[in-house]
Amino acid sequence: MEEWVGYKWHEYITRQALGEFPEHAVTLKDEARPLGVLFRALGGDPALSLVTAEPRHFRLRRRFLHKLAGTHRKFELAWRDEQNLRLPERIALFPSRELNRDLYLWLAALAASPQPNDGDWFTDNQTMVENLLARWPGLERLYQRLVSHTLQWRPQPEDLPTDEARREDAIRQALIHPGSVPNLPGAAHDPWPVILWLYPALDKAVSASQISDDDTNQSNPGGLAKKRKRRQAERVEAFDRDQGLMIFRLESLFSWTEFIPVDRAGDDTEEEDAEAVADDMDMMSVSSDRRETSASIKFDLDLPSEENDDLRLGPGIHLPEWDWRRQTYREKFCCLQPMLARDAQPAELPEPLRRPAKHLQRQFSALKPLKQWQKRQVEGEELDLDACLEREVQHRQRQGAIDQKLFRRCQQSQRDLACLVLADVSLSTESYINNHQRVIDVARDGLQLLSEALSASRDPFALFAFSSRRRDHVRFHHIKGFDEAYTGTIRGRIQALEPGFYTRMGTAIRQATRLLQSRHEHQKILLLLTDGKPNDLDLYEGRYGIEDTRMAVQEAQKAGLTPFCVTIDDEASAYLPYVFGSNNYVVIRDPAQLPLQLPKLYLNLTR
């Protein structure tokens, strides 16, 4: 009973102290899609991820009720950087759901406007508001309505000490008449947060790649909001070895605060309740000490020995890579190594695939070239009897000009297209779907069924697979070239595919583009099969990998190719529209259906 009373008392005090309207709350998760559309429509960077903002600490002059409830220490405010646009996870400040939603819309519009580089947060926000309202006058009424309610939420100047009151008057004046206040007066405490403005990015002394998921898991350009926040961190020189991962008592539980020296900024494995553990932490410690990396736990994937690896075809091909930060190519930055399965044996089609394969062969055989006779030709292989009889009649009747087209010629109808299928065989394809079948197994079945269908239609096609281990070793597995027949040897190579390493997608697409460019067909299709976003051990993470892949796709389009992506990644719609375009990808919601869906997608592409 005492516990229940205490809980209800805490709930009541907190609700009174916050001064919010939870019944009118609006969440970023529900508003993410229209906010993303608005942000891009107003000229915002389409590569930015829309994610939730972590709370910021403020040293405010709090009232007694705030101190009693322990509130008003942290606030979720809007800000943006090169990677993300961060907005509050939930807004319930105003007594109307429409007003709370309008605040989201205003913040997205403000973030889409050009960012001044003066470095003065106070004047920069006034400039952005002025420019936004000048460019889009229709937002004036929305802004004034938000200002009116924001001023009611803020503390009254008469309740503050002289210096803080003077500063609060300046902020109010800047909100009502943007651009009218040149500087912000100083005071002992932090000013009350200005919820209508964008705040500077958090301290960059600790890089985002070391303390957050920004460059590894949050890159969903223009997509839905992800509830992944940056964490507060401190940088330390090194960790004491005695403070590593160890158990010495029952109460010594594992958590993110304990340190394991590994040679990666992030770990791909998922820990149960890891995010909840991080949310409970006040501070994370980050160290660049690498002395113990090789002696403890190593997540890096070493390459197999020469005798156990696939055959290397040639010394390797050097390809460029797009660096979006510098807005330039890094010439000969990646080394692509063509590979051929060493121990692949000729194989028959697996028994479960034979029945659907026969159905596809009957369906696709209708597409193969047919012989057609063209009549009344000046030259040809045979005489056209109908034309000859008609000429004889004209001669006997002594008519005027006599038709000299007395032959017929056989012409073969041809589908003027070629297709290159590029499959992702990175380590993530080792994962299971439906607890009994691996992603790589589904991909292999899809490649075999598609090959059976294309061999029946006689469309020229090639098969390749790729994975990578940093930029100097991008593995490009040769399965079938355009000039090779689809035989048991090709089936054996498909069945020999195994998961491994990472996904440097841009490099593989560039090599596939080169191969397709050498074809003479009019229509050239680059069909990419993948289960996730681009990534690798080095800097090829997050937006860097997304931007390089996008540039590689644009290069393929400029070369006259049709790139199309087929994926089973549930979050693909968050980044693939930016990479491939809204009509050049498809998400297979049920991965087990990939083998049967793949030939159907090919038919739709080639109609």
Side-chain angles (χ1 to χ4, degrees), residues 410-426:
C410 181
Q411 187 176 19
Q412 198 170 22
S413 62
Q414 185 75 26
R415 279 163 56 88
D416 192 20
L417 61 89
C419 177
L420 187 148
V421 183
L422 185 60
D424 170 12
V425 291
S426 60

Side-chain angles (χ1 to χ4, degrees), residues 6-19:
Y7 173 78
K8 290 298 182 181
W9 170 253
H10 173 73
E11 187 181 54
Y12 172 77
I13 290 296
T14 302
R15 185 170 59 250
Q16 295 298 317
L18 286 175

Side-chain angles (χ1 to χ4, degrees), residues 101-159:
R101 184 173 182 271
D102 286 347
L103 180 53
Y104 268 134
L105 296 176
W106 170 257
L107 291 174
L110 189 63
S113 60
Q115 308 292 302
N117 296 320
D118 297 340
D120 184 351
W121 164 80
F122 185 70
T123 57
D124 283 354
N125 272 285
Q126 294 184 73
T127 302
M128 284 192 295
V129 173
E130 279 188 296
N131 294 340
L132 181 61
L133 296 179
R135 186 180 179 188
W136 306 103
L139 295 174
E140 178 71 36
R141 293 182 60 186
L142 180 146
Y143 174 70
Q144 293 300 335
R145 187 165 63 250
L146 290 174
V147 167
S148 175
H149 286 83
T150 299
L151 296 181
Q152 298 177 24
W153 175 77
R154 298 186 62 81
Q156 298 299 319
E158 55 268 22
D159 298 334

Side-chain angles (χ1 to χ4, degrees), residues 47-52 83-86 212-221 224 226-231 533 542-543 546 571 574:
L48 290 185
S49 303
L50 183 58
V51 297
T52 55
Q83 303 284 346
N84 306 291
L85 166 60
R86 299 181 180 272
S212 73
D213 298 356
D214 290 354
D215 288 340
T216 56
N217 298 321
Q218 286 198 29
S219 223
N220 55 337
L224 299 181
K226 303 295 180 186
K227 188 179 176 181
R228 293 171 181 166
K229 302 179 182 180
R230 285 180 49 176
R231 315 293 176 185
K533 65 180 65 173
R543 186 171 179 182
I546 291 289
E571 298 182 358

Side-chain angles (χ1 to χ4, degrees), residues 48-198:
L48 290 185
S49 303
L50 183 58
V51 297
T52 55
E54 71 281 13
R56 292 172 179 248
H57 285 270
F58 282 82
R59 295 188 307 109
L60 301 178
R61 183 178 296 278
R62 298 188 297 159
R63 300 173 183 172
F64 172 76
L65 189 59
H66 299 161
K67 296 178 181 179
L68 181 63
T71 61
H72 292 75
R73 290 178 176 176
K74 300 179 181 180
F75 293 84
E76 290 185 0
L77 302 168
W79 59 279
R80 56 168 289 182
D81 56 17
E82 294 180 343
Q83 303 284 346
N84 306 291
L85 166 60
R86 299 181 180 272
L87 298 176
E89 180 183 352
R90 171 180 171 273
I91 296 179
L93 298 176
F94 303 139
S96 162
R97 182 178 178 84
E98 181 183 0
L99 281 171
N100 291 319
R101 184 173 182 271
D102 286 347
L103 180 53
Y104 268 134
L105 296 176
W106 170 257
L107 291 174
L110 189 63
S113 60
Q115 308 292 302
N117 296 320
D118 297 340
D120 184 351
W121 164 80
F122 185 70
T123 57
D124 283 354
N125 272 285
Q126 294 184 73
T127 302
M128 284 192 295
V129 173
E130 279 188 296
N131 294 340
L132 181 61
L133 296 179
R135 186 180 179 188
W136 306 103
L139 295 174
E140 178 71 36
R141 293 182 60 186
L142 180 146
Y143 174 70
Q144 293 300 335
R145 187 165 63 250
L146 290 174
V147 167
S148 175
H149 286 83
T150 299
L151 296 181
Q152 298 177 24
W153 175 77
R154 298 186 62 81
Q156 298 299 319
E158 55 268 22
D159 298 334
L160 300 173
T162 304
D163 56 343
E164 295 181 23
R166 185 166 55 252
R167 184 182 58 191
E168 180 63 25
D169 285 331
I171 293 176
R172 287 171 171 263
Q173 178 69 16
L175 286 172
I176 299 173
H177 302 290
S180 61
V181 185
N183 51 66
L184 182 65
H189 292 80
D190 291 335
W192 202 265
V194 185
I195 57 176
L196 298 184
W197 288 354
L198 298 183

Side-chain angles (χ1 to χ4, degrees), residues 258-490:
E258 292 155 334
F259 176 74
I260 307 175
V262 296
D263 193 15
R264 270 199 80 179
D267 179 8
D268 290 336
T269 60
E270 293 184 1
E271 180 182 348
E272 185 178 0
D273 297 330
E275 186 171 359
V277 172
D279 287 337
D280 291 337
M281 293 172 54
D282 292 331
M283 187 69 66
M284 289 185 184
S285 297
V286 180
S287 171
S288 58
D289 179 30
R290 301 281 176 150
R291 293 174 298 174
E292 303 288 339
T293 54
S294 60
S296 298
I297 300 175
K298 190 174 184 181
F299 291 158
D300 199 352
L301 300 177
D302 291 327
L303 295 175
S305 60
E306 188 72 27
E307 60 272 14
N308 295 323
D309 199 4
D310 291 338
L311 296 172
R312 301 193 178 197
L313 306 178
I317 303 170
H318 291 279
L319 296 170
E321 187 167 273
W322 175 254
D323 187 341
W324 72 274
R325 293 185 178 93
R326 302 178 183 177
Q327 290 295 297
T328 185
Y329 283 100
R330 295 184 173 189
E331 298 296 336
K332 297 182 179 180
F333 189 69
C334 299
C335 182
L336 181 137
Q337 179 60 62
M339 313 287 291
L340 184 65
R342 182 186 296 270
D343 300 324
Q345 301 295 326
E348 297 295 328
L349 194 66
E351 182 64 31
L353 300 181
R354 293 180 182 177
R355 185 172 180 179
K358 288 182 179 179
H359 174 73
L360 290 171
Q361 287 170 350
R362 289 194 298 268
Q363 185 179 7
F364 276 70
S365 62
L367 304 177
K368 64 183 179 182
L370 300 175
K371 291 184 177 180
Q372 294 179 343
W373 288 97
Q374 292 183 326
K375 297 182 178 183
R376 299 182 184 278
Q377 302 294 313
V378 177
E379 297 177 349
E381 295 88 348
E382 299 178 1
L383 287 171
D384 186 344
L385 295 181
D386 292 339
C388 291
L389 289 175
E390 191 171 320
R391 180 184 184 280
E392 183 64 22
V393 171
Q394 291 176 349
H395 177 70
R396 292 188 179 187
Q397 293 180 352
R398 297 183 179 180
Q399 296 180 356
I402 298 177
D403 191 358
Q404 300 298 323
K405 298 179 180 180
L406 305 178
F407 299 89
R408 68 175 188 166
R409 182 172 57 197
C410 181
Q411 187 176 19
Q412 198 170 22
S413 62
Q414 185 75 26
R415 279 163 56 88
D416 192 20
L417 61 89
C419 177
L420 187 148
V421 183
L422 185 60
D424 170 12
V425 291
S426 60
L427 192 62
S428 59
T429 59
E430 179 74 32
S431 60
Y432 280 79
I433 55 175
N434 302 327
N435 297 323
H436 70 277
Q437 194 174 25
R438 296 183 304 168
V439 173
I440 188 66
D441 299 328
V442 174
R444 287 194 296 236
D445 291 348
L447 291 177
Q448 291 185 98
L449 285 183
L450 181 61
S451 298
E452 295 289 336
L454 295 183
S455 61
S457 69
R458 298 185 186 177
D459 290 341
F461 71 100
L463 304 175
F464 294 89
F466 74 98
S467 60
S468 66
R469 182 185 176 274
R470 296 191 174 93
R471 65 183 180 89
D472 56 352
H473 191 79
V474 181
R475 301 164 68 89
F476 199 73
H477 300 269
H478 178 99
I479 303 173
K480 177 189 177 301
F482 283 106
D483 299 328
E484 294 181 83
Y486 179 65
T487 62
T489 302
I490 307 302

